[in-house]
Amino acid sequence: KAGVTQTPRYLIKTRGQQVTLSCSPISGHRSVSWYQQTPGQGLQFLFEYFSETQRNKGNFPGRFSGRQFSNSRSEMNVSTLELGDSALYLCASSNRPPLAGGFGTGELFFGEGSRLTVL
Amino acid sequence: QKEVEQDPGPLSVPEGAIVSLNCTYSNSAFQYFMWYRQYSRKGPELLMYTYSSGNKEDGRFTAQVDKSSKYISLFIRDSQPSDSATYLCATISQGNLIFGKGTKLSVKP
């Protein structure tokens, strides 16, 4: 069974640009969540999608957005990039629907991430 | 105060040692606790998952939750070089999965 696939794996952008990252979950998984990982802040929750609907959102500015398609694939977009957006962006999928108010029981399967460098 | 605090290490031990990794959390209402392992240049993978308090054992790994002190631990017995990774504790807060910053473990042959 294929794992969670994220593309691109590495990318370099300049300040002010925008970026779109893609995530294909494990086949049959309908819940996709996104995380930002930096050395200073660790892993931080961005948002979660289930059945094409955003079910939960972390504490990030509106420049960070996402969506989920009918085949459960998800994209996240960061507009007007800042230097501080340099990070590893991780996507995770789950076969459990979110509990009321969000998440689930923590059984996430992570991709290898997209490493974004903003110059 | 952060919801989950974890000593970042690094922690270096000889092969065969018993490793103790620890986290503290702030909210006594937290019920689910997880340990993830992250190898270099890889995404985290779920190691163990416990609900409420007590111990859970899986091979060389034991997860322990002490709700009275809001303390969670992961013990690794007979540590191996292949255990060298970053270990992240996590819990669920307001529907979000909240992670500690991770402890980097190195097991030397």
Side-chain angles (χ1 to χ4, degrees):
Chain A
K1 199 175 191 181
V4 177
T5 303
Q6 291 189 245
T7 57
R9 291 291 313 280
Y10 302 92
L11 65 167
I12 299 173
K13 294 284 186 178
T14 57
R15 278 182 299 176
Q17 287 188 308
Q18 74 164 13
V19 66
T20 299
L21 308 177
S22 179
C23 172
S24 293
I26 292 172
S27 177
H29 286 194
R30 293 166 62 194
S31 176
V32 173
S33 50
W34 289 89
Y35 294 82
Q36 181 196 67
Q37 187 173 34
T38 59
Q41 298 299 317
L43 258 173
Q44 293 185 284
F45 173 73
L46 279 157
F47 24 67
E48 181 191 16
Y49 288 87
F50 181 80
S51 294
E52 301 178 65
T53 302
Q54 187 180 89
R55 297 303 177 104
N56 210 349
K57 190 176 190 307
N59 190 25
F60 277 81
R63 300 185 296 107
F64 292 82
S65 62
R67 58 179 176 169
Q68 186 181 33
F69 302 96
S70 58
N71 61 358
S72 294
R73 191 178 71 83
S74 177
E75 288 181 349
M76 68 163 281
N77 183 275
V78 188
S79 62
T80 320
L81 284 165
E82 301 176 0
L83 295 178
D85 296 333
S86 294
L88 180 67
Y89 290 88
L90 290 158
C91 166
S93 76
S94 171
N95 60 359
R96 292 175 179 267
L99 295 172
F103 179 63
T105 56
E107 295 178 76
L108 297 181
F109 297 84
F110 283 86
E112 295 191 331
S114 293
R115 184 165 295 280
L116 170 66
T117 301
V118 181
L119 301 176
Chain B
Q1 180 189 8
K2 288 194 72 77
E3 291 181 288
V4 180
E5 302 266 14
Q6 185 175 10
D7 185 339
L11 181 62
S12 183
V13 302
E15 183 175 354
I18 296 174
V19 176
S20 172
L21 303 166
N22 307 293
C23 291
T24 58
Y25 61 94
S26 60
N27 190 334
S28 56
F30 293 161
Q31 297 276 37
Y32 294 95
F33 302 95
M34 287 73 73
W35 284 95
Y36 279 81
R37 177 176 62 194
Q38 186 174 21
Y39 290 115
S40 181
R41 302 187 186 280
K42 299 287 187 183
E45 57 178 338
L46 182 66
L47 255 184
M48 304 204 49
Y49 152 27
T50 56
Y51 174 73
S52 194
S53 61
N55 290 4
K56 185 174 184 178
E57 192 172 315
D58 184 1
R60 296 184 296 110
F61 298 87
T62 300
Q64 188 174 78
V65 178
D66 182 346
K67 296 206 82 179
S68 63
S69 57
K70 296 198 280 261
Y71 203 78
I72 55 177
S73 302
L74 178 71
F75 299 98
I76 307 174
R77 290 184 300 279
D78 187 25
S79 56
Q80 303 294 310
S82 58
D83 295 328
S84 298
T86 297
Y87 290 80
L88 302 119
C89 59
T91 188
I92 297 174
S93 171
Q94 297 181 316
N96 299 335
L97 196 58
I98 306 297
F99 287 86
K101 289 190 180 180
T103 300
K104 187 169 185 178
L105 171 67
S106 178
V107 181
K108 303 294 186 185

